[in-house]
Amino acid sequence: MHPDINLSIASHSATSSLNIKMKTGLALVSLSLILLFLALFNQIQHPFLLIIFFISTVAGSLLYTNGLYANTTAGIKNNGVMFKSISSRGAIAWVLGVALTALYILLYWYPQLLGLHDKANTGLIGFFDPVSKLLNGHAASQWFVYGVLYTLAIILLGIKFIYKYRHNAYQVKRTISVMFFQLVIAFLIPEILGGLNMPYNDFKNMWPLNYYFFYDWHIDQLLGSGSFGMFVLVWGILSVVLISPVLTYFYGKRWYCSWVCGCGGLAETAGDSFRHLSSKKVSAWRIERVLIYSVLFFAVLMTALVIYQYFTKQSQVLFLDSFKVREWYGFYIGAAFSGVIGVGFYPILGSRVWCRFGCPMAAILGIQQRFFSRFRITTNGSQCISCGNCSTYCEMGIDVRWYAQRGQDIVRSSCVGCGVCSAVCPRGVLKLENGPIKTKKLEGPILYQDGEFKIVE
Amino acid sequence: MAPKVVIIGNGISGITCARHLRKLSNYDITVISAESKYFFSRTALMYIYMGHMKEEHTRPYENHFWEQNRIGLLQKKVATVHPHENYILLESGEQIRYDYLVLATGSRSNKFGWPGQDLKGVQGLYNLQDLETMEQYTSGIKHAAVVGGGLIGIETVEMLLSRNIHVHFLVRENSFWNLVMPPDESEMINKLIYHHQVDLRLGTELKEIKSDKEGRATAILTSKGDTIDCSFVALTVGVSPNIDFVKNSGIHTDRGIIVDDYLQTNFKNIFAIGDCAQFKTPLPGRKPIEQVWYTGKIQGETAARNIVGLEKKYNPGHWFNSAKFFDLEYQTYGLVPAQKDESTDWFWWQDKKGEKGLRLVWEKNTKIFKGLNAMGIRLRHEVCNQWLNNNTTIDIVVKELSKANFDPEFFKGYEKEFQRSFEVKYQYITV
Ligand SMILES: Cc1cc2nc3c(=O)[nH]c(=O)nc-3n(C[C@H](O)[C@H](O)[C@H](O)COP(=O)(O)OP(=O)(O)OC[C@H]3O[C@@H](n4cnc5c(N)ncnc54)[C@H](O)[C@@H]3O)c2cc1C
Ligand code: SF4
Ligand code: SF4
């Protein structure tokens, strides 16, 4: 439609051309990518170049962000989203998707190709050894490198997100929150714990998202780590049985999915340019329910087998072998689904594929959110003009408009409370709210007539 | 056999009528519309052009919805209506018989006979075809003019800006939309327009559009004698009912199709709803022709009830509306006049940065709340409506203001500041 902007990466800019700041920013980020490539093929291994990598990544992305938004007014920035290659499943999107998928495949199954070795790391992983040694005293692992890149992505693209939504305090606050949880709770503390020879622990990553929590080696490790291990064990169990249900009751699943969680954090920041790609079809909703509850069932079954085996030392129950089941889970769900498809397919399927179709934690929180939570999205009377912005930009594929135009509140188990539907609505129709469960408007359509709001049969 | 209902027009009013008919009855329902096969949201036209959405995103129902609900869709143009013989004639030559006919044909853009108004690159903005020609004629251009300072006009300006086109905006009034909005609100929008580097020309009308040899617009001539070079001209000077094809049929028309309180025309089995309908006796405080989304919805539902024999008068309740000017959201509830008259009083508050504004209007003698304008603030429809229903006095409204707050969580509150400045001015009311 617009050949001149079809190849643009600037997915939110009103301008079709890149300004000088953006160009410089992209050049710096490209330099970082080149350094990563050279490292991958073992051409460079030098702490100095690593420093250059960090500086050019941070400076490049900040410069790009600034160039993108500095001359814009505060407000919704979706101009051209449907035209640009990267955000409309164009060539750039496919290239990116393939690259990300390849990265995940290497990470999970061929880390040696990234340079992971027993003796001395080489390649990409070796390149990051100095940071790892600084933080925890050990050489880097593929997961360390992944953690560094992941955290960088959340922080830098989080800053971009904050700039983009600077008019919206809800968006700003929750993004600062996910940036904090990723940097401090998911990255720094576990690395430092590792350095102190304590069990690696991400305090916010709870069962069943953290599916190995009840694995024998993990329990044994915790039990063998004195009072700290005990604390982690008790905290992990309390999170599941007390903290999470209470917070979800008051605020809905958003307290976790779009304020705390690392998968959510990446989806909201790095995945923001792809949120509109989620399918809003009823058929997708059907697939979602089948898949997510199957994964939940799988996770619960596996954990039950693992715990049974822990206490009885019996790994075989009927035809199921506890070790096999957990191996399957790790491969199909832990790696293939959450990693390869979940993130690798961002540019094609949208940013919350894992959260929507796979995450067992989201499934549990979702059931609670639907039935035992004060959270809902309120529809503002009869102001909806059915434009479709809300549904389009709902990363969870919820057809928000369906409810809004009927005057009903949106009470859906999958809603992660990102608040973007409310932000993009041009008529001020949607508000994320907590309130008494019985005030949720589930019946509809509610029509404004005779000066009153009536449920119309 | 079930009675056959034919609805002409698949906009919000026709479609709402069809959906409610389906809920209420087993009638045979066919919707005929020329513009598109599937119902889409006209209010979202701008977002398609700006690349926020594709056309399919603006369809409120999935394509399979219609078949599932046994609502027949026909993308055809109706040529004539024959109310005495109960059939319509399509342009393609077919005749379609009906037991009930619903006319929901919407509006079309006004043109006031300007020289050059039919040139290439000159158009209104109402339908999907307009969007296509706009796409075609604005591709790669540098300058465009928008004539007419209404809601569609300012949306068109925003659309053009999204493609980096410099816009010359001709507004007849001496402040944007000041026939509808009080001066302060209007001034807020003027400022925004300037801020976006639009060449806003207030108090200026179009005289003529000039063209090149190929018949393509190249410049406009204004009432102030200026010539402005531009390769695209949007005429957004209002819309009027799209009813030419019924004019000689025997169905009474004026500017629109004349209907009574039941949305019935002079033929018992023919109804007219939405933008194309004109009330014989408008409800107090309302216009004879209502050209907004939600009234089309209510009219569609009301007509459906009357068709199946559940008598229902059109009763839309209190007036409300909303719009967005660039990044500035606007909501209104109740009646806010553009100019204050003898019997009313009002109070306008604006925050220091000039990003938010709130005006409350009340009746001077009784102090009963009459309406409000909210700029950059979201308010709760239900609460505002209750204030209006209960004849709430202005002091109570001011006191209860935060009950109506509908801004997203963590947004900065404005109520305290509003209440303080209100009290300074009107101590006598609050004590
Ligand atoms: C750009 C724009 C923005 C708007 N924004 C807002 C807003 O924010 N809020 C708001 O309240 N309102 C808004 N409106 C007004 C609102 O969209 C209209 O009031 C509403 O769409 C009218 O609906 P309708 O069903 O009466 O008619 P329409 O939506 O016009 O539908 C009529 C249909 O009938 C078809 N038709 C007509 N004649 C024939 C024929 N002879 N044969 C076959 N088919 C025929 C037409 O092709 C058309 O598809 C906006 C309008 C425009 C153009
Ligand atoms: S974005 Fe707002 S106005 Fe548009 S469909 Fe959604 S709720 Fe309605
Ligand atoms: S419904 Fe709204 S808040 Fe919930 S996930 Fe979708 S966009 Fe986010």
Side-chain angles (χ1 to χ4, degrees), chain A residues 176-187 202 204 259-261:
Chain A
I176 292 173
S177 173
V178 291
M179 285 158 65
F180 166 81
F181 277 99
Q182 177 58 34
L183 179 65
V184 179
I185 309 293
F187 182 68
D202 173 353
K204 66 170 179 42
W259 284 74
V260 171
C261 179

Side-chain angles (χ1 to χ4, degrees), chain A residues 59-76:
Chain A
S61 99
L62 293 183
L63 208 58
Y64 179 81
T65 299
N66 185 272
L68 185 57
Y69 299 128
N71 288 324
T72 62
T73 52
I76 294 305

Side-chain angles (χ1 to χ4, degrees), chain A residues 13-15 79, chain B residues 49-51 157-165:
Chain A
S13 155
T15 54
N79 286 349
Chain B
Y49 182 86
M50 293 177 15
V157 171
E158 201 181 336
M159 290 161 76
L160 292 163
L161 290 178
S162 79
R163 301 281 180 94
N164 276 342
I165 297 167

Side-chain angles (χ1 to χ4, degrees), chain A residues 182-429:
Chain A
Q182 177 58 34
L183 179 65
V184 179
I185 309 293
F187 182 68
L188 289 178
I189 291 183
E191 290 308 331
I192 290 167
L193 285 175
L196 300 173
N197 274 326
M198 299 225 233
Y200 172 98
N201 193 55
D202 173 353
F203 283 93
K204 66 170 179 42
N205 194 12
M206 63 181 87
W207 183 89
L209 180 56
N210 176 358
Y211 55 88
Y212 62 74
F213 190 82
F214 293 106
Y215 281 11
D216 43 4
W217 60 263
H218 189 242
I219 302 272
D220 286 340
Q221 186 193 33
L222 293 181
L223 292 177
S225 310
S227 53
F228 177 76
M230 208 54 202
F231 173 72
V232 171
L233 188 62
V234 172
W235 171 261
I237 293 170
L238 269 187
S239 308
V240 180
V241 300
L242 188 70
I243 301 174
S244 164
V246 168
L247 287 173
T248 308
Y249 171 75
F250 282 107
Y251 305 112
K253 81 201 248 187
R254 57 185 170 146
W255 78 268
Y256 193 74
C257 298
S258 54
W259 284 74
V260 171
C261 179
C263 306
L266 192 72
E268 294 297 337
T269 54
D272 178 57
S273 307
F274 311 114
R275 59 172 60 247
H276 53 282
L277 299 172
S278 60
S279 170
K280 313 314 186 284
K281 290 192 179 138
V282 176
S283 50
W285 185 13
R286 247 177 248 135
I287 297 172
E288 165 193 319
R289 281 175 297 186
V290 171
L291 275 180
I292 196 166
Y293 297 122
S294 308
V295 174
L296 176 62
F297 176 76
F298 193 0
V300 171
L301 177 77
M302 177 200 68
T303 306
L305 287 174
V306 164
I307 293 176
Y308 178 79
Q309 181 254 336
Y310 185 78
F311 287 111
T312 63
K313 306 293 167 217
Q314 294 255 331
S315 68
Q316 193 76 22
V317 181
L318 298 176
F319 58 93
L320 291 171
D321 174 45
S322 152
F323 290 103
K324 270 268 166 297
V325 172
R326 85 162 89 158
E327 202 177 290
W328 292 336
Y329 191 90
F331 182 85
Y332 289 109
I333 309 298
F337 201 158
S338 81
V340 179
I341 300 177
V343 180
F345 287 26
Y346 264 21
I348 306 303
L349 298 175
S351 50
R352 286 272 195 178
V353 175
W354 162 247
C355 313
R356 179 183 181 191
F357 295 99
C359 178
M361 174 86 187
I364 294 183
L365 297 181
I367 296 170
Q368 199 198 334
Q369 164 159 288
R370 173 71 185 74
F371 297 105
F372 316 105
S373 164
R374 291 162 56 87
F375 173 71
R376 87 291 310 270
I377 302 176
T378 309
T379 288
N380 196 10
S382 203
Q383 286 280 24
C384 174
I385 53 168
S386 298
C387 68
N389 276 296
C390 52
S391 297
T392 305
Y393 287 91
C394 175
E395 55 192 353
M396 296 305 285
I398 298 172
D399 192 357
V400 183
R401 164 175 56 192
W402 173 267
Y403 304 91
Q405 66 193 358
R406 289 159 58 93
Q408 276 172 257
D409 290 348
I410 296 98
V411 182
R412 278 277 291 268
S413 51
S414 61
C415 170
V416 291
C418 67
V420 168
C421 54
S422 159
V424 297
C425 173
R427 295 294 178 269
V429 177

